[in-house]
Amino acid sequence: MKNLLIAFLISSFMLSCGSSKLENKNDTRAIENVLDTQVREWNDSDINGFMQGYWKSDELKFYGSNGLTRGWNKVLENYKVRYPNKDFTGTLKFDIENISRISEDSYYVMGKFNLDRKAGDANGVFMLIFKKIDGQWKIIADMCA
């Protein structure tokens, strides 16, 4: 009986570890899908579509060369001012270097971005914090340099 209990506990532990890895892989794929959609929307010069990857909240934080911006509407407004047309949006490419779990419902993503555009190329690095909100992965904080 003791051996059966030990075998059951070991099996349960192994199954929970396996499902956790599968869950992480599914989360990572879902986050990558958000980023892929953002790239497509950006490359179509659709800033509104690009912004759908962000948490539509006054609590959204964006930290860039102009300091900290708070709120989805303000981030959208800033993007529209800085990238008014295709000459400025150009073609975006992300190179994702790391996606790591912070907690059950949050991950950080580190990578590089490259903008090939008529207004002058731009590139840099970024770190995003994703959180699962109402069943969807959303960027709640963005830092780029």
Side-chain angles (χ1 to χ4, degrees):
M1 185 67 160
K2 183 178 177 182
N3 289 341
L4 184 59
L5 179 60
I6 291 171
F8 174 76
L9 291 173
I10 290 172
S11 297
S12 295
F13 175 75
M14 291 176 74
L15 284 173
S16 70
C17 288
S19 67
S20 178
K21 285 182 183 179
L22 179 60
E23 187 175 289
N24 285 352
K25 195 174 256 186
N26 289 340
D27 291 344
T28 299
R29 276 194 214 113
I31 288 167
E32 288 169 339
N33 286 339
V34 170
L35 296 169
D36 290 344
T37 299
Q38 282 192 303
V39 167
R40 277 193 312 276
E41 299 294 344
W42 184 274
N43 292 340
D44 286 340
S45 294
D46 183 354
I47 300 295
N48 290 324
F50 173 82
M51 285 295 295
Q52 297 312 303
Y54 287 92
W55 182 30
K56 197 168 188 175
S57 167
D58 291 339
E59 299 298 313
L60 172 67
K61 294 174 183 67
F62 183 97
Y63 190 75
S65 60
N66 293 328
L68 181 63
T69 301
R70 296 174 192 263
W72 190 90
N73 288 318
K74 184 64 178 161
V75 171
L76 173 62
E77 179 184 314
N78 288 349
Y79 270 126
K80 286 186 173 185
V81 167
R82 291 189 68 193
Y83 305 96
N85 58 48
K86 186 66 175 170
D87 288 348
F88 288 87
T89 57
T91 302
L92 174 65
K93 182 177 183 252
F94 287 148
D95 290 315
I96 306 303
E97 298 201 356
N98 184 271
I99 300 177
S100 293
R101 189 174 186 176
I102 299 170
S103 67
E104 184 176 320
D105 65 349
S106 59
Y107 284 76
Y108 68 83
V109 178
M110 292 188 292
K112 297 176 185 174
F113 69 89
N114 186 350
L115 272 179
D116 181 17
R117 58 193 188 155
K118 289 181 182 177
D121 295 349
N123 56 56
V125 296
F126 63 86
M127 182 169 163
L128 307 170
I129 306 294
F130 273 85
K131 185 173 178 73
K132 198 170 204 177
I133 299 170
D134 297 329
Q136 295 184 331
W137 288 103
K138 296 291 183 179
I139 299 165
I140 64 167
D142 184 343
M143 190 285 299
C144 66

